Amino acid sequence: MNAILGIDVGASGIKGALVDVHNGRLQGERFRVPTPHPSTPEAMGGAFAEIVEFFNYKGPIGCGFPAIVKHGVAQSAANIDESWIGTNAEQVFGQHTGCPVFVTNDADAAGMAEMRYGVGKGEEGVVMLITIGTGLGTALFYKGMMIPNTELGHLLWPHGKSAEAYASSGARERLKISRKEWAERFNGYLLHLERLFSPDLFILGGGESKFFEQYKSQLHTQARVIPAKLLNNAGIIGAAVYAAEQTS
Ligand code: BGC
């Protein structure tokens, strides 16, 4: 099968596109629906199904989901409704669409796409991808192998509070701070991660990666820092790749 539907479920929007899993390219347009609030499994299942209907798609679906996901079950809910905790997301989306759905963490999906088709291709060392959006998502690789569900956005830094509440774009918007001030915070976060993991490369993804040129001079890690090549499509592409791997 060439084209698989990849869906990236986020705290503000749910985006999908058909992905050619042999080259990691989108086939045609993306379609987005706003994330319902409250973002309960029932409401999100309906929004998810709208995307599948838009593409008139039948077949395996890959999904990146903004939570710890183990064997299809959500184990956390930082930016979605708490009723997701303990809910089998694969079953919920499967029941709403009639298709087999394979769910993985959204940052892990984006990381997989960047390592396979983006700027991480051929990187053998320790690579950390960070998605910067409403939340802070992370994906960690060594020699191309991923350790899933790293959740380093929830490191208790600084001052024993979650890093996400301090250095995500969600925090920048909520606290109404300038991008310059945000970048100082984010640089502190990268330095903290560097002390813990000694990565060779940081890849920045998510919405904030589009503005990389504006703040790159404020980032002072020893590791290289580069923006994700697939930008905001990495989550969709990685989700489709994940589904292809589960079905092959
Ligand atoms: C969640 C992660 C997710 C990240 C980005 C965090 O709040 O805990 O699972 O990857 O947001 O969506």
Side-chain angles (χ1 to χ4, degrees):
M1 176 173 311
N2 268 350
I4 289 191
L5 183 60
I7 299 188
D8 187 14
V9 174
S12 59
I14 305 178
K15 297 163 287 194
L18 291 168
V19 179
D20 182 332
V21 289
H22 294 122
N23 58 22
R25 299 218 178 96
L26 295 199
Q27 285 194 342
E29 292 298 292
R30 302 188 334 171
F31 181 67
R32 178 186 190 278
V33 297
T35 302
H37 291 287
S39 49
T40 56
E42 187 55 32
M44 298 263 266
F48 191 95
E50 274 182 52
I51 296 191
V52 182
E53 277 156 30
F54 174 86
F55 289 103
N56 197 14
Y57 181 85
K58 282 269 164 266
I61 298 170
C63 168
F65 194 74
I68 299 170
V69 182
K70 288 195 88 163
H71 311 294
V73 178
Q75 312 269 354
S76 67
N79 295 303
I80 49 174
D81 194 80
E82 279 197 356
S83 55
W84 273 105
I85 297 175
T87 299
N88 189 316
E90 294 187 342
Q91 277 175 10
V92 170
F93 295 140
Q95 278 158 6
H96 277 84
T97 58
C99 297
V101 182
F102 301 92
V103 180
T104 188
N105 171 263
D106 57 353
D108 286 346
M112 277 188 262
E114 284 296 332
M115 293 304 280
R116 192 177 286 206
Y117 303 112
V119 289
K121 198 170 169 185
E123 291 284 347
E124 286 292 308
V126 176
V127 180
M128 187 177 288
L129 173 124
I130 307 174
T131 60
I132 318 165
T134 308
L136 278 181
T138 56
L140 184 61
F141 297 85
Y142 178 54
K143 295 192 173 175
M145 292 278 290
M146 186 181 73
I147 297 173
N149 292 311
T150 43
E151 293 290 331
L152 300 173
H154 294 289
L155 275 180
L156 299 181
W157 174 93
H159 316 304
K161 296 204 180 112
S162 160
E164 174 171 297
Y166 179 79
S168 61
S169 332
R172 180 173 61 69
E173 285 160 18
R174 196 179 60 252
L175 303 169
K176 299 194 173 47
I177 55 176
S178 64
R179 182 157 280 120
K180 188 156 177 284
E181 192 177 329
W182 167 80
E184 271 171 36
R185 289 174 170 228
F186 191 72
N187 181 52
Y189 176 56
L190 291 185
L191 291 174
H192 188 64
L193 289 171
E194 185 158 58
R195 268 193 299 276
L196 298 176
F197 294 95
S198 304
D200 299 287
L201 174 67
F202 284 111
I203 303 175
L204 306 187
E208 206 69 26
S209 59
K210 284 186 282 193
F211 306 103
F212 183 71
E213 288 302 312
Q214 290 180 28
Y215 57 81
K216 67 173 184 193
S217 63
Q218 286 180 262
L219 308 179
H220 304 295
T221 55
Q222 280 180 32
R224 287 172 293 142
V225 187
I226 49 177
K229 178 174 158 197
L230 310 168
L231 298 172
N232 241 347
N233 288 333
I236 296 176
I237 296 167
V241 168
Y242 180 70
E245 276 173 2
Q246 305 306 304
T247 50
S248 64

